[in-house]
Amino acid sequence: MGYFSLVLSLPSLLSSRIEAVTGVDPELRPATKPQFGHFQSNVALRLAKTEGKPPRQVAARIVDDLDLEDLCEPIDIAGPGFINLRLKSEVLARSVTEQLADPAVGVSQTARPEVVVVDYSAPNVAKQMHVGHLRSSIIGDCLTRVLTAVGHHVIPQNHVGDWGTQFGMLVEQIVTDGTDVSSLTLADAEALYTKANAHFKADEDFATRARQRVVSLQSGDPETRKIWQQLIDVSLAGFNQAYQRLGVLLTDDHLAGESTYNDDLEAVVADLEANGTAVTDDGALCVFVEGFNSPMIVRKRDGGFGYSATDLAAIRRRVREFGATRLIYVVGAPQSFHFDQVFAVARKVGFLPDNVSAEHVAFGQVLGADGRKFSTREGTAVTLDSLLDAAEEKAAPAIALAAIKYADLSNGLNKDYVFDVDRMVATIGNTGPYLQYAHARVTQVLRKAEADGLTSQDTVTVLPEPAEQTLALLLCRFGEIVAEVSETLQPHKLCAYLYELAGALSIFYEQCPVLKSEGEVRTSRLALCLGTKRVLASGLTMLGIEALDRM
RNA sequence: GCCCCCAUAGCUCAGGGGAUAGAGCAAAGGUUUCCUAAACCUUGUGUCGCAGGUUCGAAUCCUGCUGGGGGCGCCA
């Protein structure tokens, strides 16, 4: 057997070997059933038409030309012409052994590293975070971790809502009441917000002063700015507390609120006008883009800027100053139209060159137990803290958090899902705690092994049992899965993989005694345990879930 | 009116044009002198919303419907 590196991952190695013969991507997939081996390709069926030969004949020709003797058992042609591959046991063993020696646990660095901006969380100043922010924060954090793991330079951006007409009324309310902002909590600030809103509607005189406040704020009036800044400070303290509780990566370094684009807005307008894309219509500065039945309003009739303007400014900065070539927005599905339009306008005006991609990762709503929009009895949005509290009533904090995050990530992102605490914290079934348990249990085996002086855990040599082979096979697919998620931005694929891995570990655990076995079998199984633990830990970390050593 | 998303087992959901459409939950039964039973094993369930079309082959692609959710010029 000649030397070959498996570091690239076994599936891609097989794939490239087959492509060398077929000339097209063999679309190698994990076998759908154990009796079909480890991997299957339908390439012969697809080639049959162009070659004008029966699929099985094409398959036979491919298999004849194929040189996989060093990796696979003799190749089967099955059914209408599927090519089924079964890896040699020693190849699988070696693959796991190499993964054990790899600090990246088999996750390879991308060949084309990019500067990627991930825009997520985006809470509003003077408001508590609610379910929508929970989803954005969890998903964005996961994407940040995955993209970083494959070697991209990720710049998280927290596009905090800190600049708009609502701050006029808020500041005016504070001035009217003589409130000491620095002593407020975020919940207090939100109550103040509600009060100001009602005041604004009921009192025309107050409303007028509130509008003047907006002008004062934007023109830099010191007193107004001071109060505004105090509101931000109070809010940030609350956000950071929430981030800490959630265990997400966001820090003050990633803050880039709407206000930070204020000075860029005139330049954005100038670019739009110079480019000829913006026109004044009904007093507002608009951009009409083909395919959209309504224009994007950049500047309102009253001269104020809407959020389209700050979003354009953000794109401009992210591309020109950060050098980003991929922009990712983790924002709820209702904003789809807005982002489609902003991206289209940004393309038209040249803020988004062809080599830069912009993606809206749209996520669905979190629904209440009744399947309707999740809100309190009073009809207000459910706060993030109250969700975490509810879960922590059922489980320890680390497990409760895992339950929530996994529930959020394990389904397709664009679907709504029901916030069902009991189902999420269950340790049976496809849940976060189940994965944590699998990790804790395999850790326990390794801990006992070390206590017994069994420290050799770095080489898998034999895989006599089917349960071991299944486990090894799954381990060697980890890198591919992570790479896929980094491209498609679908965390549920990583969840599904880890769940399958945890299940395979449980079966292995039932069927293959580790500490009670002996000699080479025991050494090999210990290494398999370590390999599984590392992949579980790595995968869970990418999901933002803590891999517990004990439960 | 126009646009977007969704519809798969009783429930929650996977399914990247290919083999007999799969998991989990729920239900019933079983496994522990043995590394965490927070586990594992066994048992059944489908007009893949409807109707056409493309294809050797469609849950998957196209068109048209039905039903649910969301969005569509001065809030963000």
Side-chain angles (χ1 to χ4, degrees):
Chain A
M1 184 162 57
Y3 183 80
F4 50 85
S5 172
L6 301 179
V7 171
L8 276 175
S9 100
L10 225 25
S12 52
L13 183 62
L14 287 174
S15 212
S16 60
R17 291 271 190 98
I18 301 171
E19 188 163 350
V21 170
T22 59
V24 299
D25 182 357
E27 295 183 13
L28 202 65
R29 307 275 184 255
T32 52
K33 296 207 182 332
Q35 64 265 32
F36 298 149
H38 296 157
F39 294 97
Q40 62 186 38
S41 171
N42 62 18
V43 68
L45 285 85
R46 285 181 284 125
L47 289 178
K49 183 159 193 182
T50 50
E51 295 191 12
K53 292 174 186 164
R56 286 194 68 106
Q57 198 178 320
V58 176
R61 196 264 303 165
I62 292 169
V63 169
D64 272 349
D65 293 347
L66 218 42
D67 179 21
L68 287 174
E69 276 176 34
D70 53 340
L71 300 176
C72 297
E73 301 290 347
I75 300 164
D76 285 335
I77 298 170
F82 287 98
I83 297 170
N84 291 340
L85 305 177
R86 184 180 298 278
L87 291 164
K88 289 184 174 177
S89 178
E90 62 266 30
V91 172
L92 265 179
R94 183 168 159 195
S95 174
V96 178
T97 299
E98 290 195 13
Q99 191 180 38
L100 273 167
D102 179 6
V105 203
V107 176
S108 46
Q109 298 292 290
T110 177
R112 296 179 299 104
E114 293 186 89
V115 176
V116 185
V117 167
V118 182
D119 182 318
Y120 67 105
S121 196
N124 295 311
V125 163
K127 279 186 177 176
Q128 296 185 83
M129 294 170 96
H130 57 71
V131 273
H133 301 117
L134 177 81
R135 284 214 84 180
S136 180
S137 300
I138 290 173
I139 296 163
D141 209 53
C142 171
L143 297 180
T144 295
R145 291 166 188 266
V146 169
L147 289 162
T148 302
V150 301
H152 294 295
H153 176 51
V154 181
I155 305 176
Q157 290 283 279
N158 195 351
H159 198 79
V160 174
D162 63 356
W163 202 247
T165 47
Q166 69 270 30
F167 292 102
M169 62 179 82
L170 202 47
V171 171
E172 189 58 32
Q173 185 67 47
I174 287 162
V175 171
T176 305
D177 294 353
T179 310
D180 175 14
V181 180
S182 60
S183 66
L184 297 180
T185 65
L186 193 46
D188 296 334
E190 184 161 11
L192 201 63
Y193 190 99
T194 310
K195 184 180 176 185
N197 226 331
H199 202 170
F200 186 84
K201 284 175 186 162
D203 184 344
E204 190 53 44
D205 188 48
F206 176 81
T208 305
R209 281 184 283 132
R211 289 193 192 94
Q212 285 164 355
R213 275 292 168 191
V214 180
V215 179
S216 303
L217 177 65
Q218 293 180 345
S219 60
D221 170 61
E223 189 204 9
T224 308
R225 280 289 175 100
K226 188 185 169 196
I227 296 171
W228 173 77
Q229 186 60 50
Q230 286 176 323
L231 282 170
I232 289 180
D233 293 343
V234 166
S235 301
L236 290 184
F239 299 158
N240 284 330
Q241 210 174 351
Y243 294 146
Q244 196 166 6
R245 194 174 177 192
L246 279 175
V248 300
L249 304 166
L250 288 172
T251 68
D252 289 352
D253 292 343
H254 309 122
L255 288 171
E258 293 174 315
S259 64
T260 65
Y261 299 101
N262 195 51
D263 295 342
D264 295 348
L265 298 180
E266 290 302 338
V268 168
V269 168
D271 285 345
L272 288 167
E273 287 178 333
N275 180 273
T277 48
V279 295
T280 301
D281 189 89
D282 200 12
L285 188 69
C286 302
V287 181
F288 290 87
V289 193
E290 201 167 331
F292 296 88
N293 57 10
S294 59
M296 193 185 84
I297 293 176
V298 179
R299 191 177 55 210
K300 298 180 286 180
R301 195 163 32 206
D302 66 7
F305 291 99
Y307 78 148
S308 295
T310 44
D311 278 338
L312 282 177
I315 291 175
R316 191 167 165 273
R317 181 186 298 174
R318 290 166 186 180
V319 172
R320 293 188 186 175
E321 291 179 31
F322 297 173
T325 51
R326 189 178 188 187
L327 307 179
I328 294 167
Y329 291 79
V330 186
V331 184
Q335 298 294 331
S336 288
F337 176 81
H338 167 69
F339 281 109
D340 284 349
Q341 195 171 39
V342 167
F343 297 159
V345 171
R347 290 261 180 239
K348 202 173 170 188
V349 75
F351 295 167
L352 266 182
D354 289 342
N355 67 324
V356 179
S357 66
E359 298 155 87
H360 175 211
V361 176
F363 55 84
Q365 280 195 333
V366 181
L367 305 173
D370 56 359
R372 307 189 73 84
K373 192 174 174 181
F374 206 17
S375 55
T376 63
R377 253 170 305 176
E378 294 75 34
T380 56
V382 175
T383 63
L384 186 151
D385 274 326
S386 68
L387 289 176
L388 295 177
D389 290 344
E392 286 185 6
E393 277 177 27
K394 310 273 184 176
I399 297 170
L401 192 56
I404 288 178
K405 287 188 174 181
Y406 193 80
D408 210 295
L409 296 169
S410 57
N411 287 344
L413 295 181
N414 58 352
K415 284 196 172 184
D416 295 348
Y417 78 94
V418 173
F419 193 89
D420 180 343
V421 180
D422 291 322
R423 191 165 57 88
M424 293 188 313
V425 302
T427 51
I428 51 177
N430 190 4
T431 68
Y434 174 82
L435 296 186
Q436 286 179 312
Y437 176 68
H439 180 267
R441 197 152 68 150
V442 75
T443 301
Q444 174 85 322
V445 173
L446 291 164
R447 195 162 40 224
K448 289 202 169 178
E450 280 194 44
D452 293 348
L454 302 169
T455 52
S456 176
Q457 307 174 342
D458 58 357
T459 310
V460 176
T461 47
V462 289
L463 297 164
E465 294 295 322
E468 292 173 276
Q469 295 211 9
T470 303
L471 197 51
L473 189 61
L474 276 167
L475 291 176
C476 79
R477 284 180 42 209
F478 182 53
E480 303 263 310
I481 298 288
V482 174
E484 185 187 0
V485 174
S486 77
E487 285 160 22
T488 64
L489 309 181
Q490 295 178 310
H492 78 273
K493 302 220 163 158
L494 179 55
C495 292
Y497 166 81
L498 292 174
Y499 177 61
E500 202 181 341
L501 181 64
L505 176 65
S506 281
I507 293 167
F508 164 80
Y509 186 90
E510 294 288 325
Q511 298 180 356
C512 306
V514 179
L515 300 177
K516 288 187 170 52
S517 59
E518 291 178 348
E520 192 178 20
V521 169
R522 181 169 63 188
T523 310
S524 186
R525 283 180 181 171
L526 279 170
L528 198 51
C529 283
L530 183 59
T532 309
K533 172 187 156 72
R534 292 179 76 228
V535 170
L536 278 174
S538 174
L540 284 170
T541 301
M542 283 183 210
L543 295 175
I545 293 173
E546 191 179 353
L548 302 172
D549 284 345
R550 286 191 167 86
M551 279 177 80

